């Protein structure tokens, strides 16, 4: 299922020539629409890599779950930290699971 | 990054060790593998203390130092001058104001743990300090290895300091850059650093926040350097209670807080993140508050979708301090409106008023817009505009006192001098100062040893039973300490508008080798301050209200947090 751009949050990367989602999309699917907001130009070609969702500085892109994995209430949402991604996974029964993935090396915390 | 970090705790000659169990604190810190050594000494701010510091701390070229003491600005300046001799770079030295953030907002049962927590946070920060070309820079620095040229920094920079270089990377002009950090907060890839701020350092500091081990919710508060940090510090000095597990991080502007840092804090198990910034504040041109609110709204929306409690993230707009305002004398104002031309805030509103039977134009002030900067005082040809805080008559009086040495103190005018347990009398000759003041006609000069304790003030109240109406207080620490004194003064019933403050520590720092000069300068300041008191029109009274408001807000917020329960990301 394709990415959905939340229009009230997207600022088109301040109407930059190429927004971040466009730069990062491996299929070159994202582009700037006429209103200066990001848009996915070919919904069927998206393979749900979630790159655009993660890179969006405004958190304005939501990836809809493919129906093979989960129906409406199911969600998978990343929140980007400086060197970790906090994922929230909601399944079709509304059960919430959260997990943290470190994506950069850091010094281990100790007491 | 520093190879090792040492910790130095100042006991303040016992006045801090009463609250912290220094031994337990030292042991707790020594257990931590990140800390190489823990030193304890007395009165770091005295000459003795500095000498001792030189003996105690002997570290290599790339070592860090965390100093746990009080953070009166003077201490910071003092330490900074000592660092080259200690072979420590100033970026690798961090001062933890344990007295202001732990010891004063007490009583707390777990002050020792709280202090240890704060020190560990500072250590975690210092360990991440690294020169990425920002130490020698004068403005923001973009890491070109990771920058993807999204130009968001260019868009959000309030002073348009950014331009593109030949290769298309944004680059801040150091001449224009105000180091507000708004670009640091805006960068989606977190690749921008200020000379003294790197996101990795802050992130590491935030992740070290563990709380004091009690059940109380942990609150991480970002305070902005120009407004809320000093304001909150002053409130604490006046006796405000902070939430028990609140830790404070200073940033140049709220706009410098990257949302990635908030996300870091939440995922590290911090119960709540509070951004204490301005509300259409005096530095509104920076738009820091608007940008931050917009970013927070976006983050909150994501949190809502994540089914995470949005109450855990909050922006608090600090009420702007009301200025004392201007006094326009209707009998003198001739309605020329020169003030309207020079006023930078457009605060002059001409009004037609009846003065002595005739209708005349009077240049009234909008009390909300006027900041009492005093520019109109200088421009006014008739001398009708005067600031309440400092009138021309007051200025002339103090100049008189400074030049001619003839002060005629009001009977019962009191002078209280604090020698800081003998620390100040090492440099300043208190006896000659007292003799001098006596010659000028001051009959009630009292020398005390620790004015920063409430007991000293109660004793003073007993001594000064002759109901001193006016008083000049000479002690250490400028306006900041002065506010601490105000709390005590109120306790013993001294009228605040009739008290002036003279900074003795400043003199001791300026002339450490020459007691005569320091003593003269101190006497001189006391005389001028006394002269300033005479025509005082200053109005007080707004403060108490504001103080109660902020404190109430925090206590109700903590109740909300308690109801929410701990952060789902908290370990265990």
């Amino acid at each position: 299922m394709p990415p959905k751009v939340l229009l009230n949050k997207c600022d088109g990367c301040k109407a930059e020539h190429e927004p971040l989602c466009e730069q990062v999309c491996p299929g070159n699917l994202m582009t700037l629409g006429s209103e200066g907001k990001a848009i996915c130009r070919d919904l069927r070609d998206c393979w749900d890599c979630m790159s655009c969702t993660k890179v969006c500085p405004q958190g304005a892109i939501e990836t809809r779950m493919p129906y093979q994995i989960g129906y409406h209430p199911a969600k998978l949402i990343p929140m980007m930290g400086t060197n970790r991604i906090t994922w929230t996974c909601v399944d079709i029964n509304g059960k919430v699971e959260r997990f943290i993935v470190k994506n950069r090396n850091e010094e281990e915390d100790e007491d | 990054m520093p190879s090792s970090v040492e910790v130095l705790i100042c006991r303040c000659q016992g006045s801090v060790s009463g609250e912290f169990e220094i031994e337990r604190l030292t042991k707790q810190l020594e257990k931590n593998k990140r800390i190489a050594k823990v030193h304890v000494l007395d009165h770091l701010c005295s000459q003795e203390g500095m000498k001792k510091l030189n003996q105690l701390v002997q570290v290599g070229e790339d070592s860090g130092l965390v100093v746990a003491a009080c953070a009166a600005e003077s201490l910071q300046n003092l330490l900074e001058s000592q660092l080259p001799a200690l072979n420590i770079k100033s970026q690798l030295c961090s001062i933890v104001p344990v007295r202001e953030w732990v010891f004063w907002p007490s009583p707390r049962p777990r002050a020792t743990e709280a202090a240890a927590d704060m020190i560990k946070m500072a250590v975690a920060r210092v360990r991440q300090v690294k020169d990425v070309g920002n130490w020698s820079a004068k403005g923001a620095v973009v890491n070109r290895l990771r920058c993807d040229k999204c130009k968001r920094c260019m868009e959000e920079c309030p002073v348009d300091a950014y331009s593109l270089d030949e290769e298309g990377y944004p680059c801040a002009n150091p001449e224009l850059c105000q180091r507000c950090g708004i670009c640091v907060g805006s960068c989606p890839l977190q690749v921008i650093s200020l000379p003294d701020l790197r996101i990795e350092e802050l992130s590491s500091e935030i992740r070290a926040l563990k709380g004091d081990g009690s059940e109380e919710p942990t609150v991480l508060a970002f305070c902005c350097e120009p407004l809320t940090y000093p304001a909150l510090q002053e409130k604490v000095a006046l006796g405000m209670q902070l939430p028990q597990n609140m830790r404070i991080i200073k940033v140049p502007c709220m706009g410098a807080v990257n949302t990635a840092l908030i996300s870091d804090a939440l995922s590290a198990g911090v119960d709540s993140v509070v951004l204490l910034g301005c509300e259409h504040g005096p530095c509104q041109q920076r738009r820091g508050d608007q940008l931050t609110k917009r970013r927070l709204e976006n983050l909150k929306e994501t949190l809502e979708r994540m089914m995470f409690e949005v109450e855990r993230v909050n922006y608090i707009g600090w009420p702007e301090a009301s200025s004392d305002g201007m006094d326009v004398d209707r009998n003198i104002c001739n309605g020329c409106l020169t003030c309207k031309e020079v006023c930078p805030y457009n605060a002059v509103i001409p009004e037609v008023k009846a003065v002595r039977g005739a209708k005349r134009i009077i240049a009234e002030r909008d009390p909300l817009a006027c900041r009492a900067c005093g520019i109109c005082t200088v421009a006014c040809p008739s001398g009708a505009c005067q600031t309440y805080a400092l009138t021309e008559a007051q200025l002339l009086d103090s100049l008189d006192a400074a030049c001619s040495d003839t002060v005629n103190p009001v009977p019962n005018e009191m002078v209280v001098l604090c020698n800081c347990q003998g620390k100040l009398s090492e440099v300043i000759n208190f006896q000659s100062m007292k003799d001098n003041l006596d010659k000028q006609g001051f009959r009630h000069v009292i020398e005390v040893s620790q004015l920063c304790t409430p007991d000293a003030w109660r004793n003073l109240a007993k001594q000064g039973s002759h109901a001193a109406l006016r008083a000049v207080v000479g002690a250490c620490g400028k306006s900041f300490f002065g506010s601490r004194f105000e709390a005590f003064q109120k306790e013993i019933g001294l009228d605040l508008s009739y008290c002036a403050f003279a900074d003795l520590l400043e003199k001791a720092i300026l002339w450490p080798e020459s007691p005569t000069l320091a003593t003269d300068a101190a006497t001189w300041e006391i005389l001028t301050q006394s002269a300033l008191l005479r025509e005082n029109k200053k109005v007080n009274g707004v403060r108490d209200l504001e103080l109660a408001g902020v404190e109430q807000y925090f206590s109700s917020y903590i109740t909300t947090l308690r109801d929410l329960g701990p952060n789902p990301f908290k370990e265990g």
Side-chain angles (χ1 to χ4, degrees), chain A residues 16-40:
Chain A
E16 237 248 282
H17 177 58
E18 250 189 19
L20 287 182
C21 46
E22 182 171 349
Q23 289 178 26
V24 84
C25 179
N28 198 12
L29 298 175
M30 302 299 292
T31 187
L32 262 190
S34 52
E35 285 158 30
K37 309 262 179 189
I39 191 169
C40 179

Side-chain angles (χ1 to χ4, degrees), chain B residues 444-457:
Chain B
H444 309 286
V445 183
I446 302 167
E447 186 179 335
V448 286
S449 94
Q450 244 189 332
L451 211 50
C452 43
T453 56
D455 284 342
W457 282 91

Side-chain angles (χ1 to χ4, degrees), chain A residues 9 58 82 98 106-107, chain B residues 127 264 298 301 306-307:
Chain A
K9 286 173 87 179
Q58 304 287 312
T82 48
R98 298 184 206 276
E106 63 187 61
E107 201 186 352
Chain B
R127 278 189 69 96
D264 269 356
N298 284 341
E301 199 274 339
M306 285 171 65
M307 302 191 176

Side-chain angles (χ1 to χ4, degrees), chain B residues 350-362:
Chain B
E351 271 175 42
V352 180
K353 291 250 165 90
V355 182
R356 278 173 300 189
K359 287 209 165 173
R360 288 204 346 233
I361 297 174
I362 305 290

Side-chain angles (χ1 to χ4, degrees), chain B residues 20-36:
Chain B
F20 305 136
E21 297 156 53
I22 291 282
E23 262 179 44
R24 199 149 63 87
L25 180 64
T26 332
K27 268 194 194 137
Q28 216 170 346
L29 291 174
E30 270 168 353
K31 261 192 271 167
N32 193 313
K33 277 181 234 150
R34 297 171 172 197
I35 300 170

